[in-house]
């Protein structure tokens, strides 16, 4: 996006000329109030651009003016496309800058996503990425930051989908007389698609066929796809961890242990896993990576200092 022609930085949008807010369960963009009246075209939507071209070697280069869409029209189009992406409302303010990395793997994941976003080749082939790791480690944050940049700064069309919600949408579509192909068709054709929670679900034939068709269509068309998953990207199972000496295991420990033993390769099948290996770069966050949501909750409930005038009992 371009900044204001005056060079001033708006306190609301920071010079981006657009604002992203949460509207219900979706992130929503709008043109900032500082840019609703374009100073370049005075609201007309078009400006003159000077071009130079040689029509005759005898006459030489000639300069002429053509009427072209103003940058405000490009901005409005990108904002409109952003509102079709379907990014989660809770991630409305997610950026590369406010992503917190607690270990080297998270730092590598952020750098991979940033490099992908900032070096996307609109005319070439772009390899996607798969982010794997425990819940609450910022995988959706990075998917969101990536799609934000691609849509609002690069001008691409993109979509975000959480896989279990896609399955639910297709099931509802069946009741309305739609086919699964009608629903996944737009997801197959969009330039960049982000699929969150890959591997989630019951693994039913319907789910596996839907996922296989979607990825096969994008693979065959050379489309770029990004993924996030809670399941391991390792090609083979590791030995199961021994139980704690006390023998006690919480429900969360049991869930984590079960997930540690499951591989994305097993969840999606050999055919899809093989294509992921070709379509994407892999980054796996270690299981010790802290859950940022739990960390915030623990900070919220941590008792503060006693009120002034009161002594703590020893």
């Amino acid at each position: 996006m371009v900044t204001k022609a005056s060079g001033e930085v708006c306190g609301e949008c920071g010079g981006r000329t657009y604002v992203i807010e949460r509207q219900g369960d979706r992130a929503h963009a709008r043109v900032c109030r500082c840019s609703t009246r374009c100073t370049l075209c005075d609201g007309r939507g078009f400006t003159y651009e000077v071009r130079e071209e040689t029509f005759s070697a005898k006459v030489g280069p000639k300069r002429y003016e053509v009427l072209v869409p103003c940058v405000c029209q490009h901005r409005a189009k990108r904002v409109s496309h952003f509102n079709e992406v379907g990014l989660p409302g809770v991630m409305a303010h997610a950026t590369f800058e406010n992503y917190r990395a607690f270990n080297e793997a998270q730092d590598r994941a952020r750098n991979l996503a940033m490099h992908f976003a900032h070096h996307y080749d609109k005319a070439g082939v772009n390899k996607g990425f798969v982010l794997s790791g425990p819940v609450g480690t910022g995988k959706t944050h990075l998917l969101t930051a990536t799609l934000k940049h691609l849509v609002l700064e690069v001008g691409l069309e993109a979509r975000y989908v959480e896989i279990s919600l896609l399955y639910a949408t297709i099931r509802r579509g069946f009741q309305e007389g739609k086919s699964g192909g009608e629903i996944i068709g737009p997801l197959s054709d969009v330039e960049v698609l982000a699929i969150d929670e890959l591997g989630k679900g019951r693994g039913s034939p319907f789910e596996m066929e839907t996922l296989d068709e979607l990825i096969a269509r994008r693979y065959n068309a050379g489309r770029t796809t990004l993924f996030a998953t809670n399941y391991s990207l390792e090609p083979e199972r590791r030995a199961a961890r021994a139980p704690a000496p006390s023998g006690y295991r919480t429900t969360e420990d049991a869930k984590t242990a079960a997930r540690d033993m499951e591989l994305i390769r097993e969840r999606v099948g050999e055919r899809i896993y093989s294509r992921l290996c070709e379509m994407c770069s892999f980054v796996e966050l270690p299981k010790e990576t802290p859950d940022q949501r739990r960390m915030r909750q623990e900070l919220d409930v941590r008792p503060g200092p006693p009120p002034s005038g009161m002594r703590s009992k020893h």
Side-chain angles (χ1 to χ4, degrees), residues 281-295:
S281 300
F282 287 6
V283 176
E284 183 153 2
L285 308 179
K287 58 182 178 294
E288 297 83 10
T289 305
D291 181 337
Q292 297 181 35
R293 290 188 287 266
R294 286 183 59 179
M295 289 177 64

Side-chain angles (χ1 to χ4, degrees), residues 74-300:
H74 297 300
R75 175 174 58 235
K77 185 177 180 180
R78 292 182 181 190
V79 165
S80 177
H81 284 163
F82 178 86
N83 293 331
E84 297 172 353
V85 176
L87 289 172
V90 71
M91 291 291 165
H93 302 295
T95 65
F96 292 123
E97 290 72 27
N98 60 26
Y99 176 80
R100 296 187 64 188
F102 292 92
N103 54 41
E104 186 272 336
Q106 282 185 299
D107 199 45
R108 188 168 69 251
R110 176 178 55 191
N111 290 339
L112 173 68
M114 284 182 63
H115 186 273
F116 173 87
H118 289 276
H119 295 84
Y120 188 90
D121 183 359
K122 296 177 75 171
V125 177
N126 300 272
K127 192 171 187 177
F129 56 79
V130 185
L131 303 178
S132 164
V135 297
T137 51
K139 301 183 298 296
T140 304
H141 185 125
L142 290 177
L143 289 182
T144 300
T146 301
L147 295 188
K148 274 185 181 180
H149 183 87
L150 291 177
V151 175
L152 292 170
E153 304 297 337
V154 181
L156 297 185
E157 292 190 35
R159 293 289 186 279
Y160 166 92
V161 62
E162 200 269 278
I163 196 64
S164 62
L165 296 182
L166 174 62
Y167 296 149
T169 300
I170 294 175
R171 289 190 180 99
R172 286 195 300 271
F174 289 157
Q175 298 173 358
E176 299 169 0
K178 298 178 182 177
S179 68
E182 287 181 76
I183 297 172
I184 69 172
L187 300 178
S188 304
D189 298 332
V190 72
E191 292 173 273
V192 178
L193 173 67
I195 299 178
D196 208 350
E197 300 286 0
L198 181 66
K200 185 177 180 181
R202 295 174 302 208
S204 66
F206 157 74
E207 293 177 350
M208 298 307 293
E209 289 168 9
T210 298
L211 183 61
D212 183 72
E213 180 181 352
L214 177 56
I215 292 180
R217 285 191 184 192
R218 296 191 61 80
Y219 173 83
N220 292 333
R223 304 288 188 191
T224 305
T225 313
L226 315 177
F227 302 88
T229 180
N230 293 332
Y231 296 95
S232 174
L233 300 174
E234 293 187 11
E236 303 292 342
R237 280 180 180 267
R238 291 174 293 175
R241 293 182 298 173
S246 64
Y248 174 74
R249 176 179 284 181
T250 66
T251 302
E252 187 61 32
D253 288 338
K255 290 180 180 178
T256 302
R259 194 162 52 238
D260 285 346
M261 296 178 65
E262 284 195 270
L263 310 176
I264 193 62
R265 178 179 180 180
E266 297 171 334
R267 297 292 301 178
V268 302
E270 291 293 335
R271 173 183 165 92
I272 293 176
Y273 180 78
S274 175
R275 287 178 170 171
L276 293 181
C277 291
E278 182 177 343
M279 296 167 68
C280 301
S281 300
F282 287 6
V283 176
E284 183 153 2
L285 308 179
K287 58 182 178 294
E288 297 83 10
T289 305
D291 181 337
Q292 297 181 35
R293 290 188 287 266
R294 286 183 59 179
M295 289 177 64
R296 286 194 294 269
Q297 171 67 14
E298 290 165 1
L299 288 173
D300 288 342

Side-chain angles (χ1 to χ4, degrees), residues 14-29:
R16 293 187 301 271
T17 71
Y18 59 84
V19 177
I20 301 175
E21 302 165 322
R22 180 174 182 172
Q23 284 193 1
D25 64 345
R26 290 286 182 263
H28 180 84

